[in-house]
Amino acid sequence: MTVRTRFAPSPTGFLHIGGARTALFSWAYAKKHGGEFILRIEDTDVARSTPEAVQAILDGMHWLGLDYDQGPFYQMQRMDRYKAVLQTMLAAGSAYYCYSSKEELDALREQQMAQKLKPRYDGKWRPEAGKVLPNPPSGIAPAIRFKNPQDGVVAWDDMVKGRIEIANSELDDLIIARADGTPTYNFCVVVDDSDMGITQVIRGDDHVNNTPRQINMLQALAAIDGAIQVPQYAHLSMILGSDGQKLSKRHGAVSVMQYHEDGYLPEALINYLARLGWSHGDEEVFSKQQFASWFDLDHITPSAAQFNTEKLNWLNAHYIKQADIKSLLNDLVQRLAQRGVMAPDEEKLCASMALYQERVNTLNELADSLVYFFEPPSMDAVALEKHLTPEIKPVLAALASTLNGCDWQAETIHQAIDSAVTTNGLKFPKLAMPLRVILTGIAQSPSIDQVMALLGKDEVLARLNAALH
């Protein structure tokens, strides 16, 4: 049997970290086993689903490189299929019409809660042998309920959590189509997983409570069509923030595309997500392809994983250091444009990127660091007052005169600075620090002679003269 996994997000929000990890694990399992990975958009929540959220999901999948073999399939385009299956189940007796009004169900719920009972449907319209059902009331459109087994247990060997068993007596008869005819989430999932031949359902453990209902429905469909198979289930534990609390926006539970905007590389985020609850020995840094070749569900921890931004930054810095400068060029051009630097010289940009490539955690930090090569910097007033003292100004003026006649190479620039330091009995930082503040706007930079060589003679002298006069 060909392995077929799926990622089935609801487009009521952006693709977030938890969803991206689920997609990654589902993708990797299919790749590892030579199978197929399917994207399904579960958009039946019409009130909350938006085209923007759909596009954000597709953009996030594309950016992460999680290519799908089939899809995207949209549930709203499959309504005729759902309605046909509903009629099949009604005819087979595994589903029935329920005429209980919302007011009746609300009153039943309040009564049960007052008696400290678990709220559940009382089976008023459930057909049973020898049971006489009430006459359907006029003016009430019926919902359709699944006739859940009342005896025994529903059990599965979860590929992450192990054996799970739920007594059928704990489950009531779930509404599978509302009174307006629209099918409900759990029913649509069952039909889709069946029709698409899904063999492994890998998803978050917030779905554990849905699984016994879905298995029972699949088994009811299998009784009608013997070709239907129940997939294996793997429920991934949630991701917590570094403080052990449920992941929220302050921890990084934002759109995956926000990580792109914040300057993270997709390779780094994929690598980081792969290690959230899964391991391969002591391996920390690996490609998406390596991950797919190693991945299995046996090494997923059933306990919650913790999101750690520092670890993500470390990985991102590693991938930036290892990257070919030219592979980052187009991205940096766009980020610089957002900072007001338009059409920078490509050769100068590559050279300046090389100076900072090993000093930054994100592409945003890299872009921020490069602006001064193309635009005069805004001065750090505190640093300027601290380092550009009355005593150092004459030294800088003399250095500017020397530099004006200098062959413009990093080595000769360094010699000129060394000579000025020696002649005036200074320590190197005494001169290098004010140079940095004047030329870059801040007191920290790569080697100042390399910075000056790249800035160019005319620009260096212009910035020095502007600061000294």
Side-chain angles (χ1 to χ4, degrees), residues 118 146-158 161 164-174 176 185-187 189-190 201 203-220 230-231 233 235:
K118 180 179 178 180
F146 172 60
K147 192 176 182 183
N148 195 80
Q150 292 182 316
D151 301 319
V153 299
V154 55
W156 73 97
D157 292 310
D158 196 279
K161 296 182 175 296
I164 298 178
E165 296 186 0
I166 306 290
N168 277 316
S169 59
E170 291 291 313
L171 308 172
D172 60 357
D173 289 355
L174 185 72
I176 57 176
Y185 166 78
N186 276 293
F187 174 75
V189 167
V190 163
V201 173
R203 59 189 180 185
D205 65 2
D206 53 328
H207 286 282
V208 166
N209 289 337
N210 292 326
T211 302
R213 299 179 183 279
Q214 292 174 11
I215 289 176
N216 280 341
M217 278 190 272
L218 281 162
Q219 289 175 338
V230 176
Y233 291 89
H235 290 94

Side-chain angles (χ1 to χ4, degrees), residues 372 377 434-441 448 452 455 460 463-464:
Y372 73 80
L435 275 173
R436 283 192 173 92
V437 174
I438 292 168
L439 299 177
T440 73
I448 191 61
M452 292 167 69
L455 274 171
V460 166
R463 292 184 189 183
L464 280 174

Side-chain angles (χ1 to χ4, degrees), residues 34-51:
E36 296 176 331
F37 174 56
I38 296 164
L39 178 62
R40 186 169 79 218
I41 306 295
E42 298 188 337
D43 56 350
T44 55
D45 187 347
V46 177
R48 296 175 61 221
S49 297
T50 66

